[in-house]
Amino acid sequence: MTNKNMKSSLMTTKGILKLTCMCGVGLLLGACRGQISEKPPIHPNMNMDQQPRMEAQEVNKFFEDNRSMRQPVAGTVARGLKKDDKAYYEGVDANGEWVEDMPVEITRALLYRGQDRYNVYCAPCHGGTGDGNGIIMTGNYGYVPAPTYHQARLREATDGELYSAIYNGVRTMPSYATQIKVEDRWAIVAYIRALQESQNASESELRAEDVDVEQLEAEYTAEQERLAALAEARKPEKEAEASIDQGKKLVQQYACETCHNVDGTPGGIGPTWKGLFGSQSQGINEAGETITINKDEAYIRESIVAPEAKKTEGYEQGVMAPYDYLSETELESLILYIKSLSDN
Ligand code: HEC
Ligand code: HEC
C-alpha cells in the first residue's frame, strides 16, 4: 500500500466517525423529553406491543354466550389449583369438623421453620413464648389483647382449630392466609404445640432431660420482673379520680367495644353492657357447675380482672383476656361507666 492510498483510506474512516457522531447527537436531541407534543410517541420497534385483544368483561360475539372471558372447561382444574385435600388446605375433615391432628409429618425441620415464621408473624402480638405479651400489646395502641396459648381451652383445641386461626382469622384477628403458605401454616401450628408443651413440663420431666432447672427459674423470675415493670409502665403517669368519663375513655383505649356494646344489640362476642349492672343470669363457674350470677359490682370487677372465674350463659367460650394490669382507679372508672349504663 502506498503512502497516498493509506492517507485517503484514513480520511474515509475519519469521515464515517464524524458522520456517526453527528447522527448520535441528532438522535440524542431528538429523544429529549420535556416538550409537550400532541403527536403519539415514536415507537420504532413494535415488538407486538399493540395487537387486537378483548378487555375483561367485554362482549365477544364470537362465542354463543357473548362473553370474552371464558369459563374453565367443565370438570377441569387449572394446574396447581387442585385443593381437594380439605384436611391439608382448610384444616377440616369431610364433615367440616376441625381435624384433630395435623395432616403433615412433624420433623425437626418443620418445627424450626414454624419457629421462624411464628417469630415473624405471630410473636409481635402473641409474644415469643405465646403468653400474649407481644411487643404490640405493651403499648396502649387500642388492640384487643392477644390471648395466651397456655390456657386450657387452647391447649385442648384441635390442630385444625389453631390452623383455622391462621387460615380464616378468628373474631378480631385477621386471616394470614395470603401471607403464609399452607406448609408454613402447619409448621406454625406445630411450633405453637411445642410452645404449649414447653410451658407445661413438670420439674421431674425437665430434670430427666438434663435441663438446668435453676437457670430456668432465674430466667422465669427475670421475665416476671420484666412483665411487672411493663404493667407499671402501662399506668398513666398521674392518676385522675375515678369517673364515668375516664371509664368511657378506657373502654376506647382497650377496645372493649370490639366485643361488648352499650345499646343492647344482641349477637356480640361478649354480653351487652346495657342493663348489665343489677341484672341476674345463669352461668357457669370455673368447675363447670351451673350457677346463678348476680351482676353486682364485685362480679363486674371480677369479670374484668379474671373473666375465666364465672361465665354468663351463652358466652361459655370465654374469649376475653384478663385485664389484670389495670390500676385500681382505672377499674373503678370502668365499673362506674358500666353501672351508668343501667340508669333509667
Ligand atoms: C395484630 C396482632 C395479632 C397477630 C399478629 C396475631 N394474632 Fe392471633 N390473636 C390476636 C387477637 C387479638 C386474638 C383474639 C381475637 C378475639 O378474641 O377477638 C387472637 C387469637 C388467636 C388464637 C386463639 C383463637 C381462639 O379460638 O381463641 C390463635 C390460635 C391465634 N390467635 C394464633 C395466631 C397465629 C398462629 C398467628 C401468626 C400467624 C397470630 N395469631 C397472629 C392477635 C394477633
Ligand atoms: C375479645 C372480646 C372481648 C373483649 C375485647 C372484652 N371482653 Fe369482656 N367479655 C367477653 C366475653 C366473651 C364475656 C363473657 C364470658 C366471660 O365472662 O368470660 C365477657 C364478659 C365481660 C363482663 C361480664 C358480663 C356478663 O354479663 O357476665 C364484663 C363486665 C366485661 N366483659 C368487661 C369488659 C371490659 C371492661 C373490657 C375492656 C377493658 C372487655 N370486657 C373486653 C369478651 C370480651
Side-chain angles (χ1 to χ4, degrees):
M1 203 187 270
T2 66
N3 223 3
K4 201 179 161 204
N5 268 350
M6 218 162 111
K7 202 173 169 196
S8 80
S9 84
L10 263 177
M11 286 277 279
T12 340
T13 323
K14 243 187 195 168
I16 292 171
L17 273 175
K18 221 182 198 171
L19 209 82
T20 322
C21 274
M22 272 163 67
C23 281
V25 169
L27 271 178
L28 274 178
L29 285 177
C32 267
R33 306 236 159 178
Q35 289 122 318
I36 298 167
S37 166
E38 297 285 300
K39 293 184 199 136
I42 301 161
H43 199 147
N45 184 0
M46 288 309 290
N47 259 343
M48 291 171 74
D49 284 346
Q50 278 138 34
Q51 46 183 315
R53 63 159 196 280
M54 307 307 296
E55 301 288 348
Q57 313 286 359
E58 199 174 329
V59 173
N60 185 349
K61 299 280 182 204
F62 181 79
F63 295 108
E64 219 167 61
D65 61 4
N66 288 349
R67 298 180 193 195
S68 57
M69 295 164 77
R70 308 311 303 154
Q71 297 295 310
V73 177
T76 64
V77 177
R79 191 178 283 264
L81 291 185
K82 180 162 168 276
K83 292 186 174 166
D84 56 4
D85 186 349
K86 272 178 132 16
Y88 183 62
Y89 288 103
E90 295 170 36
V92 296
D93 63 19
N95 305 320
E97 302 283 336
W98 281 315
V99 293
E100 195 71 37
D101 297 312
M102 60 185 76
V104 295
E105 197 193 338
I106 301 174
T107 60
R108 197 174 277 259
L110 185 84
L111 281 176
Y112 279 126
R113 175 69 182 166
Q115 179 181 43
D116 177 74
R117 296 294 90 185
Y118 177 87
N119 285 336
V120 171
Y121 288 107
C122 320
C125 293
H126 287 276
T129 59
D131 62 359
N133 273 313
I135 192 155
I136 287 179
M137 299 299 157
T138 63
N140 287 327
Y141 300 125
Y143 270 95
V144 172
T148 168
Y149 299 135
H150 313 303
Q151 51 175 301
R153 191 173 61 80
L154 291 178
R155 271 202 301 271
E156 285 151 22
T158 56
D159 287 348
E161 190 171 354
L162 296 185
Y163 178 87
S164 166
I166 310 175
Y167 174 62
N168 297 309
V170 49
R171 296 178 296 272
T172 50
M173 185 189 128
S175 158
Y176 282 82
T178 52
Q179 293 166 68
I180 305 176
K181 289 183 293 190
V182 187
E183 56 266 39
D184 285 345
R185 295 177 210 156
W186 287 116
I188 291 174
V189 172
Y191 183 65
I192 292 179
R193 289 305 190 203
L195 285 177
Q196 289 177 328
E197 283 294 315
S198 79
Q199 303 295 306
N200 277 288
S202 68
E203 191 179 330
S204 52
E205 279 171 325
L206 291 179
R207 292 210 189 273
E209 294 290 330
D210 261 351
V211 173
D212 185 343
V213 174
E214 284 65 36
Q215 161 80 16
L216 266 189
E217 270 168 357
E219 280 174 19
Y220 176 78
T221 316
E223 177 65 5
Q224 290 311 104
E225 278 164 10
R226 185 184 75 84
L227 291 179
L230 208 123
E232 194 59 36
R234 270 170 173 158
K235 289 181 186 161
E237 274 180 24
K238 219 169 57 216
E239 290 232 320
E241 286 266 291
S243 68
I244 295 181
D245 264 355
Q246 199 206 4
K248 231 185 227 169
K249 282 202 195 99
L250 289 168
V251 165
Q252 242 173 28
Q253 184 182 330
Y254 290 110
C256 313
E257 285 189 65
T258 329
C259 303
H260 295 283
N261 67 57
V262 298
D263 58 8
T265 320
I269 296 172
T272 181
W273 288 343
K274 188 186 161 102
L276 167 70
F277 176 72
S279 68
Q280 209 182 51
S281 77
Q282 294 297 102
I284 54 165
N285 63 14
E286 243 168 331
E289 297 153 349
T290 305
I291 49 168
T292 302
I293 306 177
N294 285 317
K295 311 282 170 96
D296 52 14
E297 204 176 303
Y299 171 72
I300 293 179
R301 172 181 292 264
E302 183 187 62
S303 292
I304 300 172
V305 296
E308 294 285 311
K310 297 190 191 75
K311 291 176 197 157
T312 293
E313 187 174 37
Y315 298 93
E316 294 86 349
Q317 275 294 308
V319 293
M320 184 172 151
Y323 290 80
D324 46 10
Y325 43 77
L326 297 174
S327 73
E328 182 52 34
T329 323
E330 285 182 314
L331 260 176
E332 276 167 27
S333 295
L334 283 171
I335 296 169
L336 280 177
Y337 174 54
I338 294 176
K339 278 171 87 171
S340 78
L341 299 167
S342 287
D343 295 348
N344 71 52

